[in-house]
Amino acid sequence: GGTGTANPDQAQRMIERALTLDPTFAAARAEFAFTHVAKILNGRSNDASLFDKAESEARHALRDDARCGRAHSVLALIYLLQGRKELVPGEVDQALKENPTDATAQGWLLHYHEFNGDYQQAREQADLLVRQWPLYWAAHLSLGELLREQGDVDGAIREQERVLEQDPQNVDGLTSLSRAYIDKHDLHNARQTLERARKEDRENYSLRQTWALLLALEGHKVPATQEMDAGLQAYASMQIFRPSSAADFYAVMGDADRALEWLERAVRMGGYREEYLRRNPLLTSLRAQPRFQQILDSVSYRRRQPTAR
């Protein structure tokens, strides 16, 4: 889940121009920070140094204006993606204190609850976003993912189609819709959905990870392995949304050891979605593994620790 722009490079140039004219323009500096971390969030880069650049720019914005809520929102996103979840609520609180209508900050809080396995709180946050901003596509994207993780595949498809009504080639919407079709065992529509992506988006890491999974499910193991190359694995390992998807891939490929390694990475990054781990149909082949039960036990234990949230 995430937010982006139709032309992120153009937006970044405009922000850089604004900072050239006024280097102390804190709101622009915070947006500049967001352009760095958004490249990771939206699958356009696997460069981990962008986290440091984004955090540096956000803190620069706060030095220029201690009440820059957008900078706190960007910090919340950075910490969420890095698995530093315990820092997210404080940054969201600061962001909303300065700007109660910051939908993105509320979205990061939604994902905070999701990765803690607190689906009721995540759903309440998603419903709040959809009520307040019915046309905010990221809210529908996130709601769709919550529904899919809870087993409501038709509901997930409905929400992702709403995203694509606004932008038929939205990469996040296409990958999430394809993933919902995969859970519905409808590989034909999953493939047709991915094929709708623009040619220039084909190298997007989020899109490629879904392609790798689909190819594996279709039995095309060589192309699937080629898709899941070192660059894509680097991307999958660097932010909280992706390790569990890599586990799905290796489970489908029949490589239980690597699947379990990726699940352990997901947990280390703060993915405590115990309910989803028990339900995820792509992990069926792992459920008889003692190591899988150990991972579930670890997640259950971590969810009970107040310091883990």
Side-chain angles (χ1 to χ4, degrees), residues 10-267:
Q10 182 179 13
Q12 184 166 346
R13 288 193 296 270
M14 291 173 64
I15 295 166
E16 289 173 340
R17 175 64 175 161
L19 288 172
T20 300
L21 295 172
D22 181 2
T24 64
F25 187 3
R29 180 79 58 187
E31 286 302 326
F32 188 50
F34 179 72
T35 64
H36 290 315
V37 71
K39 290 177 182 177
I40 296 171
L41 174 67
N42 299 134
R44 290 180 283 121
S45 177
N46 65 355
D47 180 0
S49 73
L50 290 171
F51 283 131
D52 294 332
K53 291 177 182 177
E55 185 168 359
S56 176
E57 293 293 344
R59 297 204 174 282
H60 187 160
L62 288 169
R63 287 196 299 273
D64 291 333
D65 178 3
R67 297 187 59 184
C68 181
R70 181 58 167 161
H72 286 292
S73 178
V74 173
L75 288 171
L77 172 60
I78 294 167
Y79 297 148
L80 174 72
L81 292 179
Q82 292 179 318
R84 299 157 72 186
K85 293 203 321 291
E86 71 281 359
L87 300 176
V88 172
E91 296 297 340
V92 169
D93 286 347
Q94 288 293 320
L96 296 178
K97 178 181 176 181
E98 300 300 336
N99 179 14
T101 63
D102 184 344
T104 60
Q106 295 195 37
W108 314 144
L109 189 60
L110 183 161
H111 292 303
Y112 167 81
H113 293 312
E114 174 191 7
F115 282 106
N116 277 334
D118 297 330
Y119 279 101
Q120 182 176 343
Q121 289 173 271
R123 179 60 188 270
E124 289 171 359
Q125 192 70 27
D127 289 343
L128 173 67
L129 280 167
V130 169
R131 282 198 309 272
Q132 289 187 323
W133 297 281
L135 297 180
Y136 180 39
W137 66 265
H140 292 283
L141 183 86
S142 299
L143 176 57
E145 279 294 284
L146 287 177
L147 292 172
R148 181 184 67 79
E149 290 175 13
Q150 293 186 289
D152 182 359
V153 179
D154 289 334
I157 290 170
R158 180 181 64 249
E159 293 301 322
Q160 306 308 351
E161 286 178 341
R162 286 175 176 165
V163 173
L164 295 168
E165 284 173 6
Q166 295 184 53
D167 178 4
Q169 293 174 312
N170 181 302
V171 173
D172 294 318
L174 291 172
T175 55
S176 293
L177 178 59
S178 179
R179 185 65 176 82
Y181 278 125
I182 285 171
D183 276 17
K184 197 174 183 177
H185 311 292
D186 185 348
L187 300 187
H188 173 74
N189 272 319
R191 171 174 279 274
Q192 284 201 326
T193 300
L194 293 182
E195 288 174 344
R196 288 162 55 184
R198 290 176 288 253
K199 183 179 179 181
E200 57 266 32
D201 289 330
R202 182 59 181 86
E203 294 305 307
N204 180 286
Y205 288 112
S206 297
L207 190 74
R208 288 184 58 203
Q209 195 168 4
T210 311
W211 265 116
L213 177 60
L214 178 61
L215 289 166
L217 286 163
E218 291 175 334
H220 306 309
K221 292 199 171 185
V222 172
T225 301
Q226 291 171 340
E227 196 73 62
M228 186 62 86
D229 61 13
L232 182 51
Q233 290 181 54
Y235 177 73
S237 70
M238 70 185 295
Q239 57 118 317
I240 196 169
F241 286 94
R242 291 295 157 186
S244 62
S245 297
D248 294 343
F249 171 80
Y250 285 109
V252 170
M253 291 287 284
D255 190 339
D257 287 342
R258 293 189 77 176
L260 291 164
E261 287 172 8
W262 279 100
L263 278 184
E264 289 167 347
R265 180 185 291 272
V267 174

